[in-house]
Amino acid sequence: MLRDWFQFMLSIPRHKPMTKTEKFFQWSSLVAYCLGGFSFLAAPELYHIILQLEYRGRSEGYIRLAGLGIVEVGFIFIIVARSNHKTHRHATIFVSFLSRLIWVPATGLMLILREMVPVAFAVLFMGLDASLTLGTFVIWCWETDKPSFSAFFTELVTPFRECRGVKTGGSITAMFIIGLVQCIFWYILVIRPDFAQKMLALEDFVGYASGYLAASFYLISVHGLYHALCANNANLCLASMSFCYRVFFNFPVLLILFLVDQIERNLFLAILTFHILVSFILLSFIIRDGRPGENIAVSPSRSPEVESTTF
């Protein structure tokens, strides 16, 4: 049973070979987000040396928390690329272009102008997202037969017209609603991290601590956005991945950060409680949906003709 869920979640074996666009998106996410985020989580001292970041007060713990969020973005993007069970092959990848070229720079600029984060910290992520977006788009143009703005735009907007996040039901609709609430709620705390400080009785912000905490909240908000986008594309695999990364990665790492006094108790309990609640809701709907492969009522992945490659 567990093996079935694991194979379903990671789309093993594949129903169709991955396109070059999907492969690039998968492997760039693994390297840039999973490994890059892990370096922030495990060794933030590297960025003290490379980017001359200052860690005063709770800054180091908050930047580790942000690193955890970056790793989880990588997990989500890998499923976005790999999933066998999605309606449109590249739709969520294309929507990510808008998020990474508009929302990320806008948030980064806001944090810079409010002097909440160092310029180098924000520019690192703005530049990374822009370069990976450009690389993905170039590869899609290269492999697609007669690429055009019309084909790109059609696949990007079709999931919004179909609105499968609301119509499909089960874990898809649950993930859609959870994603929207998560995106909006945590972004409010990005704009006003002082709300979290007051509600959770956190220590006074010193140096760039408020900005690093806001960055960790922003990443939780980003997770919510992609949960909603994947649900709208009927990506069944992400519900299972969302439950698994929370239980087997998020919970242990949060506990370790708390035990080694990198984050405050109230912050730990607030984030943990949120993820436990979401995990319980998702698991309830996943069990209700049945075994992997059963009750799948979405169309097979489709997109304009491209040259496919293997794993």
Side-chain angles (χ1 to χ4, degrees), residues 58 81 86-87 130 137 144 153 184 208 234 237 250 268 270 283 287:
R58 288 286 182 176
K86 56 189 176 185
T87 310
F137 182 72
T144 302
F153 185 75
I184 295 169
Y208 291 113
C237 300
N250 193 298
F268 161 70
L283 181 61
I287 293 173

Side-chain angles (χ1 to χ4, degrees), residues 69-115:
I70 296 169
V71 174
E72 291 167 353
V73 169
F75 291 160
I76 293 170
F77 279 5
I78 288 170
I79 299 303
V80 166
R82 286 196 57 81
S83 178
N84 278 327
H85 303 287
K86 56 189 176 185
T87 310
H88 304 278
R89 298 195 73 162
H90 299 138
T92 310
I93 294 175
F94 291 168
V95 177
S96 78
F97 293 177
L98 302 181
S99 168
R100 295 196 283 180
L101 292 179
I102 299 174
W103 196 29
V104 171
T107 302
L109 185 60
M110 176 189 72
L111 296 178
I112 290 173
L113 292 177
R114 295 170 65 182
E115 298 183 347

Side-chain angles (χ1 to χ4, degrees), residues 138-212:
V138 168
I139 289 174
W140 176 78
C141 291
W142 172 51
E143 73 167 342
T144 302
D145 183 27
K146 297 180 180 178
S148 66
F149 177 78
S150 176
F152 174 86
F153 185 75
T154 298
E155 185 160 2
L156 186 152
V157 302
T158 299
F160 294 97
R161 292 204 303 261
E162 294 174 348
C163 205
R164 291 178 180 269
V166 175
K167 297 177 181 178
T168 304
S171 59
I172 291 293
T173 299
M175 186 166 65
F176 180 77
I177 295 171
I178 289 170
L180 287 180
V181 173
Q182 178 174 334
C183 180
I184 295 169
F185 174 78
W186 290 97
Y187 198 72
I188 292 173
L189 296 183
V190 175
I191 299 172
R192 295 296 304 270
D194 57 304
F195 286 175
Q197 182 188 33
K198 294 174 182 176
M199 288 187 297
L200 303 176
L202 303 180
E203 295 178 10
D204 290 340
F205 294 139
V206 180
Y208 291 113
S210 65
Y212 296 143

